[in-house]
Amino acid sequence: MLKNAPTENKYVLDWIEEMAALCSPESIVWIDGSEAQTEQLRAEACATGEMIKLDQEKLPGCYLHRTAVNDVARVEDRTFICTSKKEDAGNINNWMDPEECKQRLTKLYRNSMRDKTMYVIPYSMGIVGSPFAKYGIELTDSIYVVLNMLIMTRVGFDVLSTLGGSPDYIKGLHARAELDEKNRYIVHFPEENTIWSINSGYGGNVLLGKKCFALRIASYLGRKENWMAEHMLILGVEYPNGETKYVCAAFPSACGKTNLAMLIPPEYYSKKGYKVHCVGDDIAWLRVGEDGRLWAVNPENGFFGVAPGTNEKTNPNALHTTLKDTIFTNVVHNTKDNTVWWEGLDKNPPEVAIDWRGNPWDHRKYDKNDKSTCGAHPNSRFTAKATNCPCLSSEFSNPRGVPISAIIFGGRRAKTAPLVYQSTSWQNGAFVGSIMASETTAAATGEVGVVRRDPMAMRPFVGYDMGDYFAHWLNMGKLIPNPPKIFHVNWFRTDDNGSFLWPGFGDNMRVLMWILDRCEGKADARETAIGFIPYATDICIEGLDGVTLDTVEELLEIDRSAWLSDVEGVKAFYKQIGDRVPSELYSELSALEGRLTK
Ligand code: GTP
Ligand code: SPV
Ligand code: MN
């Protein structure tokens, strides 16, 4: 079946041969990245009903896809790190013995592609040929996966020619199989550069370049090779004098990365000439540059963004990015004009519509307190090209990446975490990242809205032991002569009625400016038990409706008893991680406790 293969790489051909023998596809098709082949695949997916072609005048190049009802988010309980020693995967990850895992999954893959086509997708995370790029090949039986990978990564035969005869690529095997949730597995063999995914057709479970490779496998490689793979957006703030400063921010899934990455400055700033440019919205690969600073590249080529809540006010840049060449997943289909809709897009839900499950949808029955009445799934998404983003940074395709002034951690915390605070050193900043917590969201299956510890927003994405991951952070600090300053933000603090105190979205720029001023030594701060806190008067609220100095004071308040109970939560969490948590972090924790009880 591998006649006329576009490569002679023995490591590639032998592996595909072996996987094809296992899955028994009817044919094998190599994905070349050409528009002609892509168009043919779109047509095929539409012919079988796998995708719906939307109105091509209103939404040129746009399609709708619905996944199975039981398959709408990442499945963390079905995600495994299969290292030969259990302790190398750590206590936070699910672990399976690699051989046992392969045996179990081999049974599931056997003949799973009978009568189907196996697509071979050669792709690059990062600019093909650049020193920071890493290559992968995904085998899949899903055209939807192929079309998404074509948007999210750099696909083409140039990947194969750049790889040459080398074995240095990530092997990914994906089969939809029966979409059986009980036999759904997302497994990683970091010691073998291999990813196996079966019985899912959804996003992070199956677009293997994204969470599986660019975070789980890459974090494992980064530790060995002294770089970092992080769940971070990258953005640049351009000053009126033309200079641009870059920051990275790590927030858990569905906690505001895409929104922050594409923010539109409030008029107060835009009038003065400030601009924000998006380099990435989900993943950053970070390396120490020759100049001693930390440099970031976005290894992706598109955005897999949360649809609900995206609108002309909250995130016009994201909305405009999705107006062409976009695949929508699990949103509402407006069958009258053949367009799409989701909760929070506008106040005009379609009269004649199909919901994300594929059933007729009556918006009059929508009850915002009952998620089952939603037209779009809360984790419905758009897959859109980075190059269609109106605020895409000119540095997006710069293989060197961008130098980072600040790293920002953040989560959803109704209480406890203030609007912003600054750590006191790299070590203290790593500690701040390690004690992060956030209310869970619909991006992963399971309960929504419960606080869980999510260090560096990487809890579901570290491909090895969490304690070793913390140690790697501390070690990287020693390797960066001029490290970024580290901050923590919380856009989600609520008042006693449960309403957000902070307007968020574009107005988050006001907090970013304090952060950048701190990096330049231009803004003052108050030293508190948890770190440096702004003086309320230093957060610019000019032009903000309904936010007073008192609101900002409230947003910056630190409730010592809430923090002390958080400290107890951290102790329990560190204990759960196990004995590889570095002693430096325990010192930071007891110092924090000491300051809080003083
Ligand atoms: P992933 O793609 O899952 O990694 O999510 P993300 O971190 O990119 O989150 P995204 O920007 O898509 O935002 C998720 C949800 O949070 C959306 O419903 C947004 O409307 C909401 N959100 C984002 N930023 C803010 C903010 O500043 N304030 C408030 N209140 N909500 C926000
Ligand atoms: C996330 O959950 O953080 C995402 C979506 O970015 S997924 O690709 O499904 O992981
Ligand atoms: Mn994400």
Side-chain angles (χ1 to χ4, degrees):
M1 273 200 282
L2 282 177
K3 274 184 291 179
N4 305 322
T7 175
E8 287 168 15
N9 185 317
K10 192 169 122 7
Y11 302 99
V12 170
L13 297 177
D14 288 355
W15 167 67
I16 297 176
E17 216 50 280
E18 193 190 336
M19 296 302 111
L22 172 62
C23 301
S24 317
E26 187 183 75
S27 59
I28 293 178
V29 169
W30 292 76
I31 301 301
D32 61 16
S34 70
E35 183 51 31
Q37 187 190 45
T38 306
E39 188 52 33
Q40 199 185 326
L41 289 168
R42 291 184 194 117
E44 205 176 315
C46 290
T48 59
E50 188 177 344
M51 294 208 309
I52 294 163
K53 191 172 191 164
L54 296 165
D55 183 279
Q56 294 297 297
E57 257 168 47
K58 294 195 177 86
L59 295 169
C62 293
Y63 295 80
L64 169 66
H65 172 78
R66 287 189 284 265
T67 61
V69 174
N70 74 4
D71 188 25
V72 291
R74 281 185 295 104
V75 280
E76 293 179 4
D77 54 331
R78 312 295 310 166
T79 300
F80 293 82
I81 303 294
C82 302
T83 42
S84 42
K85 289 199 215 115
K86 180 176 192 306
E87 55 269 31
D88 290 341
N91 294 333
I92 301 301
N93 283 312
N94 300 311
W95 176 84
M96 232 193 298
D97 173 74
E99 287 318 310
E100 185 195 320
C101 176
K102 277 183 210 156
Q103 269 178 24
R104 187 184 301 187
L105 267 65
T106 293
K107 290 194 194 112
L108 302 172
Y109 280 115
R110 174 120 19 242
N111 299 332
S112 62
M113 297 187 189
R114 183 149 276 170
D115 304 324
K116 293 189 185 175
T117 301
M118 176 189 266
Y119 299 97
V120 181
I121 315 170
Y123 67 95
S124 174
M125 301 311 291
I127 315 281
V128 182
S130 78
F132 297 160
K134 297 220 174 256
Y135 308 117
I137 297 179
E138 177 165 354
L139 309 178
T140 178
D141 56 2
S142 160
I143 297 185
Y144 170 75
V145 167
V146 173
L147 294 173
N148 274 273
M149 287 293 284
L150 280 160
I151 298 173
M152 293 304 297
T153 72
R154 294 167 171 90
V155 175
F157 290 172
D158 52 344
V159 170
L160 296 171
S161 48
T162 308
L163 185 63
S166 161
D168 191 12
Y169 71 99
I170 307 298
K171 308 179 193 76
L173 174 64
H174 165 246
R176 283 164 51 88
E178 318 292 323
L179 297 179
D180 170 9
E181 47 190 329
K182 288 196 206 68
N183 280 311
R184 189 165 293 156
Y185 287 96
I186 319 300
V187 304
H188 307 72
F189 304 94
E191 293 154 358
E192 299 168 50
N193 283 340
T194 298
I195 304 160
W196 280 8
S197 162
I198 191 158
N199 276 308
S200 174
Y202 184 82
N205 297 334
V206 298
L207 309 178
L208 301 185
K210 196 173 176 57
K211 297 299 157 71
C212 300
F213 175 173
L215 287 179
R216 298 194 189 96
I217 299 283
S219 63
Y220 179 91
L221 296 174
R223 175 164 171 255
K224 284 204 301 198
E225 299 165 1
N226 286 334
W227 56 281
M228 307 162 88
E230 299 293 335
H231 193 198
M232 291 178 178
L233 67 91
I234 311 163
L235 70 79
V237 175
E238 185 183 330
Y239 286 67
N241 69 4
E243 202 187 343
T244 303
K245 302 240 175 273
Y246 297 91
V247 307
C248 284
F251 309 157
S253 302
C255 290
K257 285 182 301 303
T258 303
N259 276 271
L260 189 66
M262 298 182 189
L263 82 74
I264 293 195
E267 205 178 50
Y268 173 81
Y269 290 102
S270 56
K271 270 198 175 148
K272 291 187 175 171
Y274 287 89
K275 292 182 189 133
V276 169
H277 306 287
C278 172
V279 182
D281 83 324
D282 199 52
I283 296 175
W285 284 358
L286 305 159
R287 289 176 177 79
V288 188
E290 279 165 15
D291 62 356
R293 287 188 294 175
L294 191 64
W295 288 69
V297 297
N298 169 13
E300 300 192 280
N301 201 28
F303 309 115
F304 186 60
V306 177
T310 305
N311 64 47
E312 204 54 76
K313 236 184 104 200
T314 54
N315 196 348
N317 281 322
L319 194 63
H320 292 194
T321 308
T322 66
L323 292 180
K324 58 177 185 185
D325 314 322
T326 296
I327 301 172
F328 296 95
T329 301
N330 295 339
V331 299
V332 177
H333 187 198
N334 178 341
T335 44
K336 190 159 162 228
D337 66 2
N338 196 22
T339 57
V340 288
W341 192 84
W342 49 79
E343 279 71 17
L345 172 63
D346 56 35
K347 298 218 158 71
N348 310 308
E351 290 298 326
V352 195
I354 305 284
D355 69 11
W356 68 271
R357 293 182 182 83
N359 298 327
W361 183 65
D362 180 354
H363 69 82
R364 280 166 294 260
K365 296 200 178 128
Y366 172 69
D367 167 4
K368 80 173 190 320
N369 297 316
D370 177 2
K371 287 274 181 236
S372 74
T373 64
C374 280
H377 187 275
N379 191 38
S380 55
R381 300 240 167 197
F382 54 80
T383 318
K385 286 186 184 175
T387 48
N388 282 347
C389 177
C391 64
L392 192 70
S393 165
S394 57
E395 302 306 294
F396 171 73
S397 297
N398 185 339
R400 267 197 344 149
V402 294
I404 299 303
S405 301
I407 288 177
I408 305 169
F409 294 119
R412 274 179 196 263
R413 292 304 293 273
K415 305 281 171 228
T416 321
L419 179 62
V420 57
Y421 69 102
Q422 182 187 357
S423 66
T424 53
S425 64
W426 179 274
Q427 175 174 307
N428 177 249
F431 169 71
V432 166
S434 80
I435 68 168
M436 262 172 74
S438 192
E439 291 145 25
T440 51
T441 66
T445 54
E447 220 182 322
V448 169
V450 293
V451 175
R452 77 160 178 176
R453 309 234 76 92
D454 189 350
M456 285 86 169
M458 282 288 280
R459 182 183 181 128
F461 307 121
V462 178
Y464 57 100
D465 179 87
M466 189 61 83
D468 286 344
Y469 171 73
F470 293 164
H472 180 50
W473 262 84
L474 296 177
N475 185 44
M476 284 301 297
K478 300 189 184 112
L479 302 178
I480 316 167
N482 188 4
K485 304 268 188 288
I486 302 180
F487 298 79
H488 187 285
V489 299
N490 177 21
W491 315 139
F492 298 93
R493 200 142 158 174
T494 55
D495 62 17
D496 294 338
N497 302 320
S499 305
F500 293 123
L501 280 164
W502 179 248
F505 303 101
D507 289 312
N508 293 333
M509 172 93 175
R510 300 166 188 276
V511 175
L512 278 184
M513 292 317 294
W514 182 78
I515 288 173
L516 287 171
D517 282 350
R518 283 296 290 171
C519 296
E520 307 260 291
K522 284 190 195 148
D524 215 349
R526 187 160 60 87
E527 192 159 4
T528 70
I530 65 167
F532 297 110
I533 300 264
Y535 290 103
T537 44
D538 285 343
I539 301 289
C540 167
I541 52 172
E542 234 176 276
L544 255 188
D545 257 358
V547 177
T548 63
L549 203 58
D550 283 348
T551 323
V552 180
E553 296 278 10
E554 190 179 347
L555 281 159
L556 294 172
E557 251 164 42
I558 301 160
D559 175 343
R560 278 175 187 257
S561 70
W563 270 87
L564 279 168
S565 74
D566 236 44
V567 165
E568 292 310 311
V570 173
K571 281 184 195 162
F573 182 57
Y574 276 6
K575 213 165 144 196
Q576 189 192 346
I577 295 172
D579 52 17
R580 296 194 191 179
V581 174
S583 61
E584 290 92 328
L585 296 189
Y586 274 108
S587 310
E588 290 284 343
L589 183 58
S590 59
L592 170 64
E593 189 172 19
R595 291 190 300 270
L596 286 165
T597 43
K598 209 161 59 194

